[in-house]
Amino acid sequence: MDTKGPIESDSSLRRRLIFGSVGLAVAVSAIFISVAYKLAVDLGESVELENTNKLATQLIQQMSIIYSQPNEDLTASEKLKTNHIFKTLDPELVGIDIWFGERKVNVRNNLQWPYPIDISMAIDNEIESSGFIEKHEERFVWIYKSDPDSGFAVLLLRRISTLNKALEYVANRLSITAFLTFWLAVWAALVISALITNRFEKNNQKLAYMANHDDLTKLPNRYYLASVLRAFLNKVKTSTDTVEQRKGTLLLIDLDKFKEVNDTMGHAAGDELLISIADRLSEIAGTKGKVVRYGGDEFVIWYEGIDSVAAEILAQEIVSACRQPLLVNNNKFEIGASIGVACFPEHGTKVDELFKRADIAMYHAKKLRLGYQVFDQTLNSKSALWVKLRGQLNSALMQNQFILYYQTKVSLPKGTVVGVEALVRSEHPEEGLLAPGVFIDIIEQSTVIHEFTRYVLKQAIMQCRLWLNEGIRISVAVNLSPYNLRDQAFIPFLKEQLNFYQVPPDLIEIELTESGTMFDLKVAQRVFPELRAVGVKLSIDDFGTGMSSLAYVKKLDVNYIKIDRSFVANITSDYRDEAVIKSMLLLCADLNKEVIAEGVETVEQAEKLYELGCQFAQGYYFGKPMEPIFITQLLKNRTSDQIVNGISPLMLKTVK
């Protein structure tokens, strides 16, 4: 399993986490330092202002005392300068201006340059009462204070070098704190990123495993297989060996009876069966082969380095293993397998080619019950059509490509039309009109079987309604797949359509092949009475082909028994077929079942059937399947048919 991509993504995630955390730490530290330093500056300046303001207040209070002391030998300015209070003032107080009696006295000026501000500027309101000023890379605070009662005013200019030292100290501590925070953030980022990326790596590995493996069987899935095949082809391209020297074989395995088991026993039993089959295939493939669950009931085994001969031996072993009974929920199941084999480079040098040709071979094996089939070019045309039709089933239903033809059923000997059977055709946009033998098996093996049957039933009921609108009352038979017996929504759908189109139930006939009813007799015995309760008629089609006892018919409550065409074909030349049909007619008469003979193609066959006591017949002698418009013309004129030799050809051969 390739996990390189997720691991590289996790490494990138780790780098992004680290860089993001470091960037966040730097940003937070810068913001923290900036805000803290600003707060420290604001606090320091506030304290300086407050202290200087208090000092100015004290000086104004002392001025009155100083000036009231008698000393005629000193001027007012000298009194202030020589006063011990002024002498003991903080040396950082570099400037003192006093205003009294409309005179300014400069008590102190410790500056080496002109005074930056003057008290007269404060008196004239040219400056504010307090503030800060920077001069010659030094910072000062000034305070102007006045006392209206005494007439004194003072302007103090104070150098705030102490604050600068304090701020420098704070800045150093903040830098240390930011540095420690940064490295703590880096360490935390490394730890957190390691934890997160480790968890991501584990989750990515789990996701990669889930994306490349089947949850039920634990086998690799089709995505894993695609990556393996691409890697193989890339290796072939870069290798010095020729393409012919590199070999590989793809075996596409489809279980033959899985759908029956899944529908009969439930999905849980089906899952157990798939797990058992997966274990068997893994055991057969060993370490050299790669077993993949391709989807549904399909598996793939890819072998590198073996040719078609070895692949055939392996396919035989797989077919034999799949036929061995499997014990699931205390029930034994015998599951067959159909295998298509495609070899590299003999049958294709691209992934799509190998799958397509293995698919074609597999469908050929399934169609002819061969067990396995190695691809051959002679299979390509017909089998390729099967593969193409399978991929187009959904679109064919959505585009209404399936249409109904109708074949008449007549009474003997007059040949009066007593009913019609709806037979499906496909109007393929490329292949033209396709007979049911081309696509019915594909549909029965697909997931659209229920939708297809409902579509056909609805079309038949709609046509029956159209005939009723024209005054034609005729029964319409619709074929049912044995899988439809397990469709719990089928009978409600039948009732809904009959009610919606206002068609009497006795005009609809449900046909099921004998092999279909034998497929699960218990289900048929349960569903048939429910269908009879709806009011529709029932018939067993292809009777005699299921290798069952004639007494089998008594177990099912049906209206009609349809004798298979294989017995009718040689009725005039093979006494054994005649004897079989005669026995069937006697049995059905005793059981009060009406008999319809299928596949009547000659007047001699019709006469022989009538002679044996058969009351109804169907076949090309009376009419081929035709479109509804021709059936309508026929049914409008059916009472005027002429009898020829006791049998009426009904002119059906010339209607179309």
Side-chain angles (χ1 to χ4, degrees):
M1 181 175 60
D2 185 10
T3 58
K4 184 178 179 180
I7 291 176
E8 288 181 350
S9 177
D10 289 341
S11 299
S12 175
L13 174 63
R14 176 177 292 185
R15 287 194 299 271
R16 290 197 300 270
L17 282 172
I18 293 174
F19 291 149
S21 299
V22 170
L24 179 62
V26 170
V28 170
S29 298
I31 294 172
F32 170 73
I33 292 173
S34 176
V35 172
Y37 186 78
K38 185 65 169 63
L39 288 174
V41 169
D42 291 344
L43 179 61
E45 290 180 347
S46 176
V47 171
E48 288 289 344
L49 282 172
E50 184 177 355
N51 292 337
T52 307
N53 187 55
K54 289 180 179 179
L55 181 58
T57 303
Q58 293 175 1
L59 289 177
I60 289 176
Q61 292 174 355
Q62 292 297 323
M63 286 180 191
S64 299
I65 300 173
I66 294 172
Y67 276 92
S68 64
Q69 293 177 352
N71 192 341
E72 298 297 336
D73 297 331
L74 297 175
T75 64
S77 176
E78 292 173 341
K79 287 181 180 180
L80 293 174
K81 292 180 179 180
T82 57
N83 189 275
H84 71 282
I85 295 176
F86 287 90
K87 290 181 178 181
T88 59
L89 288 175
D90 186 356
E92 294 297 327
L93 195 61
V94 296
I96 304 175
D97 279 354
I98 295 177
W99 181 273
F100 67 98
E102 297 183 355
R103 288 185 301 167
K104 181 183 75 170
V105 177
N106 183 250
V107 179
R108 178 184 292 181
N109 184 0
N110 295 338
L111 300 175
Q112 303 300 321
W113 30 265
Y115 218 54
I117 56 177
D118 189 84
I119 192 170
S120 60
M121 299 168 64
I123 294 173
D124 295 336
N125 295 321
E126 295 179 9
I127 60 173
E128 296 180 358
S129 60
S130 62
F132 295 86
I133 188 172
E134 291 187 6
K135 193 75 172 179
H136 296 285
E137 298 181 355
E138 289 188 300
R139 189 170 175 79
F140 302 90
V141 59
W142 83 83
I143 287 290
Y144 169 72
K145 193 79 171 178
S146 64
D147 183 13
D149 295 334
S150 62
F152 289 101
V154 65
L155 177 68
L156 303 182
L157 185 66
R158 181 185 178 89
R159 182 187 289 112
I160 52 176
S161 57
T162 304
L163 175 60
N164 292 335
K165 292 180 180 179
L167 292 177
E168 184 180 351
Y169 176 83
V170 170
N172 290 334
R173 292 298 181 269
L174 288 176
S175 299
I176 294 172
T177 303
F179 179 79
L180 294 176
T181 303
F182 171 78
W183 282 110
L184 285 173
V186 171
W187 178 82
L190 290 171
V191 173
I192 293 173
S193 65
L195 293 174
I196 292 176
T197 52
N198 285 337
R199 178 165 294 185
F200 265 85
E201 287 176 7
K202 291 180 181 179
N203 289 338
N204 277 335
Q205 290 173 358
K206 290 180 180 179
L207 290 174
Y209 181 87
M210 292 171 62
N212 289 281
H213 286 76
D214 174 54
D215 186 54
L216 177 64
T217 62
K218 310 306 178 185
L219 291 176
N221 58 21
R222 62 171 63 197
Y223 304 110
Y224 175 84
L225 177 62
S227 65
V228 169
L229 293 178
R230 284 195 299 269
F232 170 77
L233 294 178
N234 289 334
K235 184 169 63 175
V236 170
K237 291 179 181 178
T238 57
S239 174
T240 56
D241 296 336
T242 63
V243 173
E244 288 72 16
Q245 291 175 311
R246 291 283 185 175
K247 296 180 180 180
T249 297
L250 184 75
L251 294 93
L252 179 59
I253 305 164
D254 185 87
L255 303 182
D256 288 337
K257 301 177 183 178
F258 174 75
K259 185 174 177 62
E260 290 89 327
V261 174
N262 205 41
D263 291 344
T264 304
M265 304 301 296
H267 292 291
D271 290 346
E272 290 294 326
L273 186 63
L274 288 173
I275 293 172
S276 299
I277 290 293
D279 292 340
R280 283 191 180 182
L281 294 178
S282 299
E283 184 178 349
I284 293 172
T287 57
K288 294 183 179 180
K290 297 185 184 300
V291 183
V292 171
R293 186 186 178 193
Y294 196 63
D297 59 350
E298 290 184 333
F299 294 84
V300 170
I301 298 180
W302 166 252
Y303 261 99
E304 185 176 342
I306 68 171
D307 55 15
S308 59
V309 176
E312 282 197 61
I313 297 173
L314 179 63
Q316 292 173 1
E317 186 178 357
I318 294 172
V319 170
S320 177
C322 289
R323 288 174 179 170
Q324 298 302 315
L326 287 168
L327 185 63
V328 177
N329 294 338
N330 297 321
N331 294 306
K332 284 188 176 181
F333 297 99
E334 294 182 5
I335 300 296
S338 298
I339 304 174
V341 181
C343 301
F344 176 93
E346 181 181 353
H347 301 138
T349 57
K350 297 179 180 179
V351 174
D352 292 342
E353 288 178 345
L354 289 174
F355 272 109
K356 180 180 178 180
R357 289 168 180 177
D359 207 14
I360 290 172
M362 184 271 290
Y363 265 91
H364 184 78
K366 183 177 286 290
K367 184 76 174 177
L368 300 182
R369 304 293 190 266
L370 299 176
Y372 74 92
Q373 174 69 53
V374 178
F375 176 78
D376 187 275
Q377 289 296 338
T378 59
L379 307 175
N380 212 16
S381 58
K382 188 174 181 180
S383 299
L385 176 60
W386 296 341
V387 174
K388 180 169 69 173
L389 292 178
R390 183 182 66 162
Q392 297 173 347
L393 287 180
N394 285 320
S395 61
L397 277 172
M398 293 177 63
Q399 297 170 12
N400 297 324
Q401 291 180 11
F402 296 105
I403 60 173
L404 298 189
Y405 276 44
Y406 296 88
Q407 186 177 35
T408 57
K409 293 184 289 186
V410 303
S411 63
L412 300 177
K414 293 185 178 181
T416 303
V417 179
V418 295
V420 294
E421 180 181 358
L423 301 171
V424 187
R425 302 289 187 267
S426 174
E427 287 186 316
H428 196 275
E430 299 173 3
E431 304 296 333
L433 192 65
L434 301 178
V438 177
F439 57 84
I440 286 297
D441 284 347
I442 300 174
I443 290 176
E444 287 200 333
Q445 296 167 14
S446 72
T447 58
V448 302
I449 178 61
H450 298 318
E451 184 180 355
F452 173 80
T453 302
R454 293 193 187 104
Y455 172 84
V456 172
L457 180 64
K458 180 178 180 179
Q459 297 299 315
I461 292 175
M462 288 171 59
Q463 184 59 56
C464 191
R465 177 69 262 172
L466 293 175
W467 282 328
L468 286 171
N469 292 343
E470 296 191 39
I472 300 172
R473 185 180 177 88
I474 192 79
S475 67
V476 180
V478 179
N479 289 279
L480 202 68
S481 167
Y483 300 110
N484 298 131
L485 295 179
R486 296 182 180 84
D487 181 9
Q488 297 180 355
F490 176 75
I491 293 179
F493 178 80
L494 173 62
K495 293 179 180 178
E496 176 187 329
Q497 297 302 310
L498 291 171
N499 181 64
F500 182 80
Y501 291 103
Q502 293 296 297
V503 172
D506 63 336
L507 292 184
I508 300 300
E509 180 183 333
I510 301 296
E511 290 189 9
L512 194 72
T513 61
E514 180 185 5
S515 59
T517 54
M518 289 177 63
F519 171 65
D520 194 336
L521 182 59
K522 291 182 179 180
V523 174
Q525 287 178 312
R526 173 179 59 81
V527 176
F528 274 32
E530 295 178 7
L531 290 170
R532 291 296 298 270
V534 175
V536 299
K537 295 180 180 179
L538 301 175
S539 65
I540 299 296
D541 198 9
D542 300 336
F543 187 75
T545 60
M547 302 299 291
S548 63
S549 167
L550 291 177
Y552 166 77
V553 71
K554 74 177 182 180
K555 297 182 180 181
L556 296 174
D557 184 17
V558 298
N559 302 92
Y560 303 103
I561 299 295
K562 300 186 73 174
I563 299 176
D564 186 66
R565 64 181 64 248
S566 61
F567 298 102
V568 175
N570 299 316
I571 190 174
T572 59
S573 59
D574 192 332
Y575 71 92
R576 291 170 296 185
D577 286 340
E578 180 180 341
V580 170
I581 291 178
K582 187 175 182 178
S583 299
M584 291 181 183
L585 290 170
L586 290 173
L587 174 65
C588 292
D590 291 340
L591 295 175
N592 197 28
K593 312 291 184 185
E594 294 183 328
V595 178
I596 303 172
E598 292 184 296
V600 180
E601 297 185 355
T602 66
V603 63
E604 291 79 15
Q605 292 172 343
E607 289 175 342
K608 175 60 72 173
L609 288 167
Y610 177 64
E611 180 185 322
L612 294 175
C614 184
Q615 298 176 331
F616 304 99
Q618 178 181 348
Y620 276 21
Y621 175 67
F622 303 105
K624 295 181 179 181
M626 60 187 74
E627 296 174 77
I629 186 173
F630 299 112
I631 291 289
T632 303
Q633 295 174 14
L634 172 68
L635 294 177
K636 286 183 176 180
N637 301 321
R638 61 181 173 176
T639 56
S640 62
D641 296 329
Q642 301 297 319
I643 307 299
V644 179
N645 295 326
I647 300 294
S648 172
L650 301 179
M651 304 299 288
L652 295 183
K653 296 180 181 179
T654 60
V655 169
K656 189 173 182 181

